Amino acid sequence: MDHFLYRNGILHAEDVPLPEIAASVGTPVYVYSTATLTRHFQVFSDALAGMPHLICYAMKANSNQAVLRVMAGLGAGMDVVSGGEYRRAKAAGVPGERIVFSGVGKTREEMTLALEGGIRQFNVESEPELLALDEVARGLGLRAPVAIRVNPDVDAKTHAKIATGKSENKFGIPIARAREVYAEAARLEGIEITGIDVHIGSQLTGLAPYEAAFTRVADLTEALRADGHSITRLDLGGGLGIPYRRANEAPPLPFDYGEVIRRTVGHLGCEIEIEPGRLIAGNAGILLTEVIYLKKGEGRDFLIVDSAMNDLIRPAMYDAWHDIVPVVEATPGAELRPFDVVGPVCESGDTFARARDLPDAAAGDLLAFRSAGAYGAVMASEYNSRPLIPEVLVSGDQFAVVRARPSFEEMLARDSIPPWLSET
Ligand SMILES: *Cc1c(COP(=O)(O)O)cnc(C)c1O
């Protein structure tokens, strides 16, 4: 459920009519709903009720400072994957004790930043990383709290580019080698073992892979405890899928995901951490765009819109589907016909939808791409020298620009001319 609904035939974000945002901020623009973000956090919180837990929002899904403030205000921790994200989390008021640091390529600079600024735990993904972290921590006279990310060799049954839990993926250490690596970690003075971490992929549409992975984590917890390690936290990652195609997708509910957690690891007395990103932010955002041209083609018509693959890359990158709806509701029973919805970028990949059944549309009409709140703005680029598009946060009947559209002058000012070219 989200808070993008028609009222009197006009699509609203909470209590704000979208045409009002388009008129005030211009298109294309990302629009986020505070009530939806809040609701999604609450749903996870309810699903884990009764178990000690921390929901660490995977901020790579949407790291706008305003979104982070909403999450921080709800008591969320953060899952960060870079020094930049760590700084963003801190800037949004999240204390270090609520930040977990994931990622296969943490640099020594990033380790230092997090150790000095405070960190709940590093999710360590390899032995070389473990050794580097030990060295950095000892150099600072500190001990680094660590969970080791294990790769459970489970097929998450999701798109290949976002599956992370099979042995051929670059993530984590093979679960079969975990005891050996924990033994090594226990010998390192700069390392303090706190738990186990696992994350098998993103946009999971079934619970069976979680059940398999968490069962392996439970077995490993008992084996590691028998080896004398103190395992007090289990970080179970993120990845729960969302319905991008409302008409025919029904991914598992957070409540049932919570039941899987309870059933597989609930008896271990560990504090549970989860790292949802997409499910928190995905359906809390839309991309609002305007039709520039209706172009008649051979056998199909094109709706050429003012947003493009540089603004929302998911269709080009993951063959992703986004529901597309007109901001002015079609009259009931209006005939639908197939359109290709495309952007202005000079690549055929710049296609949001092929042969999508839509009500008739014309230049100047506003459309909304639904489910664009996660992995949308954060993956945007300035390809084709298209400025990054603005982001707006709605709360009730209020809205505010939370990232402004840069000017062309600002874009140009980031380039510089070397001295040997500046003579002319
Ligand atoms: C991407 C990622 C997440 C979040 O995944 P979602 O599918 O957005 O929930 C969580 N943890 C780690 C380690 C990740 O890389």
Side-chain angles (χ1 to χ4, degrees), residues 52-93:
H53 68 267
L54 183 66
I55 299 166
C56 295
Y57 169 58
M59 59 180 276
K60 75 176 194 278
N62 184 327
S63 55
N64 187 285
Q65 281 290 292
V67 170
L68 298 190
R69 288 229 171 220
V70 171
M71 299 313 298
L74 295 167
M78 298 283 155
D79 173 41
V80 308
V81 293
S82 71
E85 285 195 350
Y86 179 86
R87 286 175 207 268
R88 275 184 179 274
K90 288 305 270 303

mmCIF file of all heavy atoms in Angstrom, residues 52-93:
data_model
loop_
_atom_site.group_PDB
_atom_site.id
_atom_site.type_symbol
_atom_site.label_atom_id
_atom_site.label_comp_id
_atom_site.label_asym_id
_atom_site.label_seq_id
_atom_site.Cartn_x
_atom_site.Cartn_y
_atom_site.Cartn_z
ATOM 1 N N PRO A 52 14.413 -8.938 19.950
ATOM 2 C CA PRO A 52 15.274 -7.757 19.959
ATOM 3 C C PRO A 52 15.807 -7.537 18.546
ATOM 4 O O PRO A 52 16.290 -8.488 17.918
ATOM 5 C CB PRO A 52 16.403 -8.125 20.936
ATOM 6 C CG PRO A 52 16.321 -9.599 21.131
ATOM 7 C CD PRO A 52 14.939 -10.037 20.764
ATOM 8 N N HIS A 53 15.653 -6.320 18.020
ATOM 9 C CA HIS A 53 16.047 -6.130 16.632
ATOM 10 C C HIS A 53 16.411 -4.688 16.332
ATOM 11 O O HIS A 53 16.051 -3.772 17.083
ATOM 12 C CB HIS A 53 14.917 -6.576 15.695
ATOM 13 C CG HIS A 53 13.707 -5.698 15.750
ATOM 14 N ND1 HIS A 53 12.636 -5.943 16.586
ATOM 15 C CD2 HIS A 53 13.398 -4.549 15.091
ATOM 16 C CE1 HIS A 53 11.730 -4.997 16.433
ATOM 17 N NE2 HIS A 53 12.168 -4.125 15.537
ATOM 18 N N LEU A 54 17.110 -4.510 15.230
ATOM 19 C CA LEU A 54 17.362 -3.172 14.692
ATOM 20 C C LEU A 54 17.158 -3.235 13.186
ATOM 21 O O LEU A 54 17.726 -4.093 12.501
ATOM 22 C CB LEU A 54 18.792 -2.704 15.005
ATOM 23 C CG LEU A 54 19.101 -1.277 14.526
ATOM 24 C CD1 LEU A 54 18.275 -0.233 15.285
ATOM 25 C CD2 LEU A 54 20.593 -0.958 14.668
ATOM 26 N N ILE A 55 16.331 -2.329 12.681
ATOM 27 C CA ILE A 55 16.115 -2.242 11.241
ATOM 28 C C ILE A 55 17.123 -1.236 10.692
ATOM 29 O O ILE A 55 17.044 -0.044 10.987
ATOM 30 C CB ILE A 55 14.668 -1.804 10.934
ATOM 31 C CG1 ILE A 55 13.690 -2.848 11.498
ATOM 32 C CG2 ILE A 55 14.461 -1.612 9.422
ATOM 33 C CD1 ILE A 55 12.249 -2.374 11.549
ATOM 34 N N CYS A 56 18.080 -1.746 9.935
ATOM 35 C CA CYS A 56 19.115 -0.888 9.360
ATOM 36 C C CYS A 56 18.740 -0.623 7.909
ATOM 37 O O CYS A 56 18.968 -1.464 7.040
ATOM 38 C CB CYS A 56 20.481 -1.562 9.448
ATOM 39 S SG CYS A 56 21.035 -1.790 11.142
ATOM 40 N N TYR A 57 18.134 0.518 7.664
ATOM 41 C CA TYR A 57 17.703 0.874 6.313
ATOM 42 C C TYR A 57 18.906 0.856 5.356
ATOM 43 O O TYR A 57 19.925 1.509 5.627
ATOM 44 C CB TYR A 57 17.048 2.264 6.359
ATOM 45 C CG TYR A 57 16.788 2.885 5.014
ATOM 46 C CD1 TYR A 57 16.003 2.239 4.067
ATOM 47 C CD2 TYR A 57 17.324 4.132 4.692
ATOM 48 C CE1 TYR A 57 15.773 2.818 2.825
ATOM 49 C CE2 TYR A 57 17.089 4.718 3.462
ATOM 50 C CZ TYR A 57 16.316 4.049 2.529
ATOM 51 O OH TYR A 57 16.091 4.627 1.305
ATOM 52 N N ALA A 58 18.788 0.084 4.280
ATOM 53 C CA ALA A 58 19.877 0.018 3.286
ATOM 54 C C ALA A 58 19.797 1.281 2.436
ATOM 55 O O ALA A 58 19.051 1.358 1.463
ATOM 56 C CB ALA A 58 19.734 -1.228 2.418
ATOM 57 N N MET A 59 20.569 2.267 2.825
ATOM 58 C CA MET A 59 20.375 3.602 2.255
ATOM 59 C C MET A 59 20.840 3.719 0.830
ATOM 60 O O MET A 59 20.570 4.721 0.181
ATOM 61 C CB MET A 59 21.031 4.658 3.144
ATOM 62 C CG MET A 59 22.503 4.480 3.349
ATOM 63 S SD MET A 59 23.170 5.795 4.413
ATOM 64 C CE MET A 59 23.445 7.086 3.207
ATOM 65 N N LYS A 60 21.494 2.692 0.294
ATOM 66 C CA LYS A 60 21.841 2.789 -1.124
ATOM 67 C C LYS A 60 20.590 2.846 -1.997
ATOM 68 O O LYS A 60 20.627 3.316 -3.124
ATOM 69 C CB LYS A 60 22.777 1.656 -1.549
ATOM 70 C CG LYS A 60 22.149 0.286 -1.714
ATOM 71 C CD LYS A 60 23.220 -0.692 -2.226
ATOM 72 C CE LYS A 60 22.661 -1.994 -2.749
ATOM 73 N NZ LYS A 60 22.374 -2.972 -1.676
ATOM 74 N N ALA A 61 19.451 2.393 -1.471
ATOM 75 C CA ALA A 61 18.198 2.446 -2.232
ATOM 76 C C ALA A 61 17.738 3.880 -2.483
ATOM 77 O O ALA A 61 17.199 4.201 -3.548
ATOM 78 C CB ALA A 61 17.104 1.669 -1.501
ATOM 79 N N ASN A 62 17.923 4.721 -1.477
ATOM 80 C CA ASN A 62 17.558 6.138 -1.605
ATOM 81 C C ASN A 62 18.209 6.871 -0.446
ATOM 82 O O ASN A 62 17.780 6.711 0.699
ATOM 83 C CB ASN A 62 16.038 6.335 -1.575
ATOM 84 C CG ASN A 62 15.646 7.794 -1.806
ATOM 85 O OD1 ASN A 62 16.357 8.713 -1.405
ATOM 86 N ND2 ASN A 62 14.526 8.001 -2.467
ATOM 87 N N SER A 63 19.231 7.643 -0.739
ATOM 88 C CA SER A 63 20.028 8.224 0.347
ATOM 89 C C SER A 63 19.845 9.727 0.461
ATOM 90 O O SER A 63 20.678 10.413 1.056
ATOM 91 C CB SER A 63 21.504 7.879 0.147
ATOM 92 O OG SER A 63 21.938 8.282 -1.134
ATOM 93 N N ASN A 64 18.744 10.230 -0.079
ATOM 94 C CA ASN A 64 18.491 11.662 0.104
ATOM 95 C C ASN A 64 18.441 11.989 1.601
ATOM 96 O O ASN A 64 17.850 11.256 2.394
ATOM 97 C CB ASN A 64 17.168 12.050 -0.579
ATOM 98 C CG ASN A 64 16.960 13.556 -0.549
ATOM 99 O OD1 ASN A 64 16.625 14.118 0.477
ATOM 100 N ND2 ASN A 64 17.186 14.189 -1.681
ATOM 101 N N GLN A 65 19.046 13.100 1.958
ATOM 102 C CA GLN A 65 19.125 13.475 3.373
ATOM 103 C C GLN A 65 17.753 13.557 4.026
ATOM 104 O O GLN A 65 17.598 13.210 5.199
ATOM 105 C CB GLN A 65 19.822 14.837 3.514
ATOM 106 C CG GLN A 65 21.329 14.758 3.398
ATOM 107 C CD GLN A 65 21.960 14.058 4.605
ATOM 108 O OE1 GLN A 65 21.940 14.559 5.705
ATOM 109 N NE2 GLN A 65 22.480 12.869 4.371
ATOM 110 N N ALA A 66 16.761 14.022 3.294
ATOM 111 C CA ALA A 66 15.427 14.161 3.877
ATOM 112 C C ALA A 66 14.827 12.782 4.147
ATOM 113 O O ALA A 66 14.195 12.558 5.187
ATOM 114 C CB ALA A 66 14.527 14.971 2.942
ATOM 115 N N VAL A 67 15.039 11.851 3.222
ATOM 116 C CA VAL A 67 14.548 10.485 3.425
ATOM 117 C C VAL A 67 15.252 9.871 4.638
ATOM 118 O O VAL A 67 14.617 9.228 5.491
ATOM 119 C CB VAL A 67 14.783 9.636 2.153
ATOM 120 C CG1 VAL A 67 14.511 8.158 2.410
ATOM 121 C CG2 VAL A 67 13.912 10.155 1.004
ATOM 122 N N LEU A 68 16.556 10.089 4.733
ATOM 123 C CA LEU A 68 17.295 9.541 5.872
ATOM 124 C C LEU A 68 16.801 10.126 7.191
ATOM 125 O O LEU A 68 16.731 9.441 8.198
ATOM 126 C CB LEU A 68 18.798 9.806 5.720
ATOM 127 C CG LEU A 68 19.485 9.180 4.502
ATOM 128 C CD1 LEU A 68 20.998 9.332 4.621
ATOM 129 C CD2 LEU A 68 19.111 7.711 4.336
ATOM 130 N N ARG A 69 16.444 11.404 7.157
ATOM 131 C CA ARG A 69 15.924 12.034 8.398
ATOM 132 C C ARG A 69 14.614 11.399 8.812
ATOM 133 O O ARG A 69 14.374 11.210 10.008
ATOM 134 C CB ARG A 69 15.686 13.527 8.175
ATOM 135 C CG ARG A 69 16.959 14.267 8.082
ATOM 136 C CD ARG A 69 16.961 15.496 8.965
ATOM 137 N NE ARG A 69 18.311 15.988 8.934
ATOM 138 C CZ ARG A 69 18.978 16.479 9.960
ATOM 139 N NH1 ARG A 69 18.374 16.590 11.116
ATOM 140 N NH2 ARG A 69 20.210 16.855 9.831
ATOM 141 N N VAL A 70 13.766 11.101 7.832
ATOM 142 C CA VAL A 70 12.505 10.426 8.161
ATOM 143 C C VAL A 70 12.821 9.091 8.832
ATOM 144 O O VAL A 70 12.278 8.756 9.895
ATOM 145 C CB VAL A 70 11.640 10.202 6.897
ATOM 146 C CG1 VAL A 70 10.440 9.315 7.209
ATOM 147 C CG2 VAL A 70 11.182 11.540 6.309
ATOM 148 N N MET A 71 13.747 8.335 8.214
ATOM 149 C CA MET A 71 14.068 7.013 8.753
ATOM 150 C C MET A 71 14.712 7.125 10.129
ATOM 151 O O MET A 71 14.377 6.377 11.043
ATOM 152 C CB MET A 71 15.008 6.258 7.805
ATOM 153 C CG MET A 71 14.453 5.993 6.412
ATOM 154 S SD MET A 71 12.785 5.330 6.376
ATOM 155 C CE MET A 71 13.032 3.808 7.245
ATOM 156 N N ALA A 72 15.627 8.062 10.277
ATOM 157 C CA ALA A 72 16.314 8.234 11.559
ATOM 158 C C ALA A 72 15.309 8.607 12.644
ATOM 159 O O ALA A 72 15.387 8.127 13.777
ATOM 160 C CB ALA A 72 17.405 9.295 11.440
ATOM 161 N N GLY A 73 14.334 9.431 12.270
ATOM 162 C CA GLY A 73 13.314 9.854 13.230
ATOM 163 C C GLY A 73 12.461 8.687 13.716
ATOM 164 O O GLY A 73 11.865 8.743 14.792
ATOM 165 N N LEU A 74 12.384 7.641 12.909
ATOM 166 C CA LEU A 74 11.608 6.463 13.295
ATOM 167 C C LEU A 74 12.438 5.496 14.136
ATOM 168 O O LEU A 74 11.938 4.467 14.591
ATOM 169 C CB LEU A 74 11.122 5.732 12.028
ATOM 170 C CG LEU A 74 10.126 6.505 11.158
ATOM 171 C CD1 LEU A 74 9.964 5.843 9.796
ATOM 172 C CD2 LEU A 74 8.779 6.583 11.876
ATOM 173 N N GLY A 75 13.724 5.821 14.275
ATOM 174 C CA GLY A 75 14.597 4.950 15.069
ATOM 175 C C GLY A 75 15.364 3.941 14.241
ATOM 176 O O GLY A 75 15.948 3.005 14.788
ATOM 177 N N ALA A 76 15.356 4.111 12.935
ATOM 178 C CA ALA A 76 16.078 3.166 12.079
ATOM 179 C C ALA A 76 17.580 3.330 12.257
ATOM 180 O O ALA A 76 18.072 4.432 12.498
ATOM 181 C CB ALA A 76 15.709 3.390 10.616
ATOM 182 N N GLY A 77 18.289 2.214 12.126
ATOM 183 C CA GLY A 77 19.723 2.265 11.893
ATOM 184 C C GLY A 77 19.934 2.357 10.397
ATOM 185 O O GLY A 77 18.976 2.458 9.619
ATOM 186 N N MET A 78 21.201 2.343 9.972
ATOM 187 C CA MET A 78 21.501 2.417 8.541
ATOM 188 C C MET A 78 22.497 1.328 8.172
ATOM 189 O O MET A 78 23.415 1.027 8.936
ATOM 190 C CB MET A 78 22.143 3.764 8.181
ATOM 191 C CG MET A 78 21.276 4.977 8.429
ATOM 192 S SD MET A 78 19.993 5.209 7.184
ATOM 193 C CE MET A 78 18.816 6.141 8.174
ATOM 194 N N ASP A 79 22.308 0.793 6.970
ATOM 195 C CA ASP A 79 23.311 -0.067 6.344
ATOM 196 C C ASP A 79 23.996 0.777 5.292
ATOM 197 O O ASP A 79 23.333 1.251 4.362
ATOM 198 C CB ASP A 79 22.619 -1.283 5.715
ATOM 199 C CG ASP A 79 23.573 -2.134 4.896
ATOM 200 O OD1 ASP A 79 24.713 -2.343 5.342
ATOM 201 O OD2 ASP A 79 23.187 -2.572 3.796
ATOM 202 N N VAL A 80 25.303 1.005 5.445
ATOM 203 C CA VAL A 80 26.031 1.832 4.486
ATOM 204 C C VAL A 80 27.025 0.963 3.728
ATOM 205 O O VAL A 80 27.493 -0.059 4.237
ATOM 206 C CB VAL A 80 26.756 3.024 5.167
ATOM 207 C CG1 VAL A 80 25.789 3.818 6.044
ATOM 208 C CG2 VAL A 80 27.961 2.575 5.986
ATOM 209 N N VAL A 81 27.355 1.386 2.517
ATOM 210 C CA VAL A 81 28.283 0.611 1.693
ATOM 211 C C VAL A 81 29.444 1.455 1.176
ATOM 212 O O VAL A 81 30.179 1.009 0.294
ATOM 213 C CB VAL A 81 27.556 -0.070 0.506
ATOM 214 C CG1 VAL A 81 26.602 -1.152 1.005
ATOM 215 C CG2 VAL A 81 26.803 0.940 -0.342
ATOM 216 N N SER A 82 29.602 2.658 1.723
ATOM 217 C CA SER A 82 30.737 3.489 1.310
ATOM 218 C C SER A 82 30.955 4.567 2.360
ATOM 219 O O SER A 82 30.066 4.834 3.180
ATOM 220 C CB SER A 82 30.466 4.157 -0.045
ATOM 221 O OG SER A 82 29.478 5.175 0.108
ATOM 222 N N GLY A 83 32.125 5.183 2.302
ATOM 223 C CA GLY A 83 32.398 6.306 3.195
ATOM 224 C C GLY A 83 31.410 7.438 2.948
ATOM 225 O O GLY A 83 30.987 8.129 3.881
ATOM 226 N N GLY A 84 31.029 7.625 1.702
ATOM 227 C CA GLY A 84 30.057 8.675 1.372
ATOM 228 C C GLY A 84 28.731 8.418 2.057
ATOM 229 O O GLY A 84 28.119 9.332 2.629
ATOM 230 N N GLU A 85 28.280 7.159 2.023
ATOM 231 C CA GLU A 85 27.015 6.845 2.696
ATOM 232 C C GLU A 85 27.157 6.987 4.208
ATOM 233 O O GLU A 85 26.229 7.439 4.884
ATOM 234 C CB GLU A 85 26.546 5.427 2.327
ATOM 235 C CG GLU A 85 25.968 5.355 0.918
ATOM 236 C CD GLU A 85 25.168 4.092 0.654
ATOM 237 O OE1 GLU A 85 25.190 3.145 1.481
ATOM 238 O OE2 GLU A 85 24.506 4.032 -0.395
ATOM 239 N N TYR A 86 28.315 6.599 4.727
ATOM 240 C CA TYR A 86 28.534 6.761 6.178
ATOM 241 C C TYR A 86 28.378 8.228 6.560
ATOM 242 O O TYR A 86 27.702 8.572 7.530
ATOM 243 C CB TYR A 86 29.929 6.235 6.549
ATOM 244 C CG TYR A 86 30.241 6.378 8.017
ATOM 245 C CD1 TYR A 86 29.853 5.396 8.933
ATOM 246 C CD2 TYR A 86 30.885 7.514 8.498
ATOM 247 C CE1 TYR A 86 30.107 5.540 10.290
ATOM 248 C CE2 TYR A 86 31.147 7.669 9.852
ATOM 249 C CZ TYR A 86 30.758 6.677 10.742
ATOM 250 O OH TYR A 86 31.002 6.836 12.086
ATOM 251 N N ARG A 87 29.001 9.107 5.756
ATOM 252 C CA ARG A 87 28.904 10.549 6.050
ATOM 253 C C ARG A 87 27.460 11.043 5.939
ATOM 254 O O ARG A 87 27.008 11.867 6.729
ATOM 255 C CB ARG A 87 29.781 11.339 5.084
ATOM 256 C CG ARG A 87 31.261 11.215 5.374
ATOM 257 C CD ARG A 87 32.065 11.938 4.287
ATOM 258 N NE ARG A 87 33.388 11.355 4.124
ATOM 259 C CZ ARG A 87 34.473 11.785 4.779
ATOM 260 N NH1 ARG A 87 34.389 12.791 5.597
ATOM 261 N NH2 ARG A 87 35.631 11.178 4.592
ATOM 262 N N ARG A 88 26.755 10.550 4.931
ATOM 263 C CA ARG A 88 25.345 10.944 4.790
ATOM 264 C C ARG A 88 24.523 10.510 5.996
ATOM 265 O O ARG A 88 23.671 11.248 6.482
ATOM 266 C CB ARG A 88 24.733 10.302 3.538
ATOM 267 C CG ARG A 88 24.970 11.061 2.275
ATOM 268 C CD ARG A 88 24.249 10.405 1.101
ATOM 269 N NE ARG A 88 24.496 11.206 -0.086
ATOM 270 C CZ ARG A 88 23.755 12.253 -0.424
ATOM 271 N NH1 ARG A 88 22.684 12.577 0.260
ATOM 272 N NH2 ARG A 88 24.077 12.959 -1.490
ATOM 273 N N ALA A 89 24.773 9.283 6.467
ATOM 274 C CA ALA A 89 24.019 8.778 7.622
ATOM 275 C C ALA A 89 24.301 9.644 8.841
ATOM 276 O O ALA A 89 23.365 10.049 9.559
ATOM 277 C CB ALA A 89 24.376 7.314 7.900
ATOM 278 N N LYS A 90 25.561 9.951 9.063
ATOM 279 C CA LYS A 90 25.920 10.786 10.220
ATOM 280 C C LYS A 90 25.281 12.171 10.085
ATOM 281 O O LYS A 90 24.743 12.713 11.042
ATOM 282 C CB LYS A 90 27.446 10.913 10.354
ATOM 283 C CG LYS A 90 28.182 9.674 10.823
ATOM 284 C CD LYS A 90 27.685 9.098 12.132
ATOM 285 C CE LYS A 90 28.314 9.598 13.419
ATOM 286 N NZ LYS A 90 29.734 9.499 13.604
ATOM 287 N N ALA A 91 25.327 12.719 8.865
ATOM 288 C CA ALA A 91 24.767 14.054 8.637
ATOM 289 C C ALA A 91 23.263 14.075 8.904
ATOM 290 O O ALA A 91 22.707 15.104 9.284
ATOM 291 C CB ALA A 91 25.061 14.516 7.212
ATOM 292 N N ALA A 92 22.612 12.930 8.703
ATOM 293 C CA ALA A 92 21.162 12.863 8.955
ATOM 294 C C ALA A 92 20.868 12.587 10.426
ATOM 295 O O ALA A 92 19.713 12.397 10.798
ATOM 296 C CB ALA A 92 20.529 11.788 8.074
ATOM 297 N N GLY A 93 21.908 12.528 11.234
ATOM 298 C CA GLY A 93 21.690 12.387 12.673
ATOM 299 C C GLY A 93 21.672 10.960 13.179
ATOM 300 O O GLY A 93 21.226 10.703 14.295
#
